[in-house]
């Protein structure tokens, strides 16, 4: 099983310069291959070519002219070129399968800065990662002669923590987020887990409380974005007031500082939200064998303009994805209950289904059996009952 561990890096200024150059090289190669592929496709439409262009041929053409026209690309590891090719290939695959829009050119300061490393192009130590070419490049940037030991030390970037998994290294992706660098290492680990079938719980997700478990556990909605809206408003104002030339598309140094402050605030919001969700889903996976969750149409929920902002702040889609993936890793079973299942309208005591249950009613009162219960807990219990039924039908 392939697991990934994302670790923050603490590079020196010279090392950060190399990482930025590698990310820029990847962006340039991606854009060059995309432009060349579009040009060849246009020739095919005009009858100048007899066959459709292949991305592999475009890559071969780039490698043929690379030494003469783009010699500076050799200052970074070879994996940068390979990674750009595979990224563009995946982008076209997703486009043809109608999962995403047509690939577009990546822009500096707007696209996500990252690049790929093959498993033979880096080394992992206790608290460091060594990247091919980096030691030599740093010595050239400093302009001072360095011996072999100094080069090896210069090529090692400090990591904030040890690699969590042990096994065969598959690859790594280095990316920048809010002016901080991270490495995501993929490791092939041995994974043998005994399937669990008890206990069975149902989990209802919402906005007021992010998740309600049928056994009584609850995950509070952190409202990370809502709590930081005043600070974000100030940071947005400061950023918009800084000098920016619309013709040359160049801003002042103070504008860049304001942009970094704003980006780090958004990153803190994302990390605060993700920390709570990871801890909750990990505890569910460790203590539960079977869970029943509703198959929500998250994109459809965003059409409600009154709840769209709160739904985005809650990040329900990420929570459901984490539940499914962590239950599978722990040997549990996840049942996606049909989205039209009346978990909110149905009484968990007698099974009576109401015609309507508006959001303003936070307590479920059954007119048949007299049950009075919190509406979210009632929905979670109904999801548990449905999960038990699905498990019995499947032969469990």
């Amino acid at each position: 099983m392939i697991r990934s561990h994302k670790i923050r890096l603490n590079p020196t200024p010279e090392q950060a310069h190399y990482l930025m150059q590698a990310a820029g090289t990847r962006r340039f190669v991606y854009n060059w291959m995309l432009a060349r592929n579009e040009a060849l496709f246009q020739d095919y439409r005009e009858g100048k070519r007899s066959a459709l262009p292949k991305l592999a041929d475009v890559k071969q053409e780039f490698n043929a002219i690379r030494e003469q026209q783009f010699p500076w690309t050799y200052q970074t590891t070879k994996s940068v070129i390979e990674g750009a090719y595979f990224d563009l290939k995946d982008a076209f695959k997703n486009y043809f399968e109608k999962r995403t829009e047509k690939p577009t050119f990546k822009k500096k300061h707007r696209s996500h800065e990252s690049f790929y490393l093959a498993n033979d192009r880096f080394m992992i130590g206790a608290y460091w990662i060594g990247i091919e070419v980096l030691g030599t490049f740093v010595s050239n940037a400093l302009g001072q002669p360095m011996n072999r030991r100094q080069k090896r030390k210069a090529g090692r970037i400090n990591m904030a923590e040890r690699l969590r998994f042990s096994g065969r290294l598959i690859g790594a992706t280095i990316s920048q987020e809010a002016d901080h660098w991270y490495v995501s290492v993929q490791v092939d680990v041995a994974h043998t887990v005994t399937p669990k079938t008890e206990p069975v719980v149902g989990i209802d997700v919402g906005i007021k409380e992010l998740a309600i478990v049928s056994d009584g556990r609850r995950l509070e909605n952190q409202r990370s974005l809502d709590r930081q809206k005043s600070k974000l408003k100030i940071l947005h104002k400061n950023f918009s007031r800084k000098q920016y030339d619309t013709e040359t598309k160049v801003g002042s140094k103070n504008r860049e500082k304001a942009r970094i402050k704003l980006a780090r605030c958004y990153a803190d919001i994302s990390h605060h939200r993700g920390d709570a969700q990871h801890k909750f889903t990990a505890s569910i996976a460790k203590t539960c064998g079977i869970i029943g969750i509703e198959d929500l149409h998250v994109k459809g929920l965003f059409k409600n303009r009154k709840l769209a902002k709160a739904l985005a702040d809650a990040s329900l889609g990420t929570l459901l994805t984490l539940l499914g993936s962590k239950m599978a890793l722990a040997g549990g079973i996840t049942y996606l209950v049909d989205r039209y299942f009346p978990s909110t309208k149905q009484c968990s005591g007698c099974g009576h289904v109401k015609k309507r249950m508006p959001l303003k009613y936070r307590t479920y009162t059954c007119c048949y059996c007299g049950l009075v219960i919190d509406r979210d807990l009632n929905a979670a219990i109904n999801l548990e009952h449905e999960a038990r039924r699905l498990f019995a039908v499947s032969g469990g």
Side-chain angles (χ1 to χ4, degrees), residues 229-339:
K229 61 181 180 182
S230 299
K231 183 179 180 180
L232 284 172
K233 184 177 180 180
I234 296 172
L235 291 175
H236 272 287
K237 281 186 176 181
N238 292 338
F239 175 68
S240 63
R241 287 170 178 169
K242 297 299 183 287
Q243 185 177 358
Y244 180 73
D245 192 341
T246 56
E247 294 182 359
T248 60
K249 306 294 183 180
V250 177
S252 63
K253 291 184 178 179
N254 286 334
R255 178 184 173 88
E256 179 63 15
K257 293 177 183 178
R259 183 194 67 80
I260 293 175
K261 287 183 180 180
L262 180 61
R264 287 183 177 175
C265 184
Y266 275 112
D268 290 341
I269 292 172
S270 177
H271 295 162
H272 184 259
R273 181 192 299 122
D275 179 67
Q277 292 187 353
H278 274 285
K279 289 178 179 177
F280 173 78
T281 53
S283 65
I284 293 294
K286 290 178 181 178
T287 58
C288 301
I290 300 175
I291 64 171
I293 55 177
E294 194 172 3
D295 183 19
L296 292 178
H297 185 206
V298 180
K299 288 185 178 181
L301 295 176
F302 278 90
K303 294 182 179 180
N304 186 339
R305 61 184 181 87
K306 295 182 179 180
L307 299 176
K309 183 178 179 181
L311 286 168
D313 194 7
S315 189
L316 298 181
T318 303
L319 178 64
L320 296 177
T321 302
L322 289 175
L323 279 172
S325 61
K326 292 192 177 183
M327 284 295 295
L329 289 173
I333 303 173
T334 302
Y335 286 109
L336 286 177
V337 179
D338 186 80
R339 64 183 57 172

Side-chain angles (χ1 to χ4, degrees), residues 13 28 38 43 61 72 74 111 115 126 140 144 149 164 171 189 191 200-201 203-204 242 247 255 270 329 384 387 396:
F28 169 80
E38 292 294 329
D43 292 342
E61 181 181 350
W72 48 269
Y74 287 97
S111 61
F115 61 94
N140 293 336
Q144 299 175 356
R149 182 180 178 184
R164 186 179 305 160
V189 299
H191 187 71
V200 183
V201 298
I203 303 176
D204 181 62
K242 297 299 183 287
E247 294 182 359
R255 178 184 173 88
S270 177
L329 289 173
E384 177 189 340

Side-chain angles (χ1 to χ4, degrees), residues 151-171:
K151 288 181 180 180
R152 185 168 61 249
K153 186 176 180 181
R156 295 179 177 180
I157 304 177
N158 175 260
M159 298 193 304
E161 57 180 311
R162 289 174 177 266
L163 182 62
R164 186 179 305 160
F165 310 113
S166 60
R168 186 173 65 91
L169 296 177
I170 301 298

Side-chain angles (χ1 to χ4, degrees), residues 17 61 66 68 70 74 84 88-89 103 124 129 147 168-169 173-174 196 310 383-384:
H17 177 74
E61 181 181 350
R66 179 184 176 188
Q68 290 76 22
F70 314 114
Y74 287 97
L88 185 58
K89 185 178 179 180
I124 292 288
I129 176 173
N147 57 39
R168 186 173 65 91
L169 296 177
T173 301
I174 295 181
K196 299 181 297 183
L383 291 173
E384 177 189 340

Side-chain angles (χ1 to χ4, degrees), residues 138-147 150-151:
V138 170
S139 66
N140 293 336
L142 294 174
Q144 299 175 356
M146 302 175 69
N147 57 39
Q150 289 173 327
K151 288 181 180 180

Side-chain angles (χ1 to χ4, degrees), residues 339-385:
R339 64 183 57 172
Y340 298 107
F341 176 74
S343 59
T344 304
K345 298 178 182 179
Q346 181 174 313
C347 175
S348 58
C350 64
H352 171 70
V353 180
K354 289 188 175 183
K355 292 184 178 180
R356 296 178 68 253
M357 190 63 186
L359 282 174
K360 62 180 181 180
Y361 296 113
R362 305 309 306 171
T363 302
Y364 186 95
T365 304
C366 182
C367 56
Y368 279 77
C369 65
L371 177 67
V372 179
I373 188 174
D374 178 78
R375 67 174 285 154
D376 296 329
L377 181 59
N378 177 72
I381 295 175
N382 285 327
L383 291 173
E384 177 189 340
H385 293 165

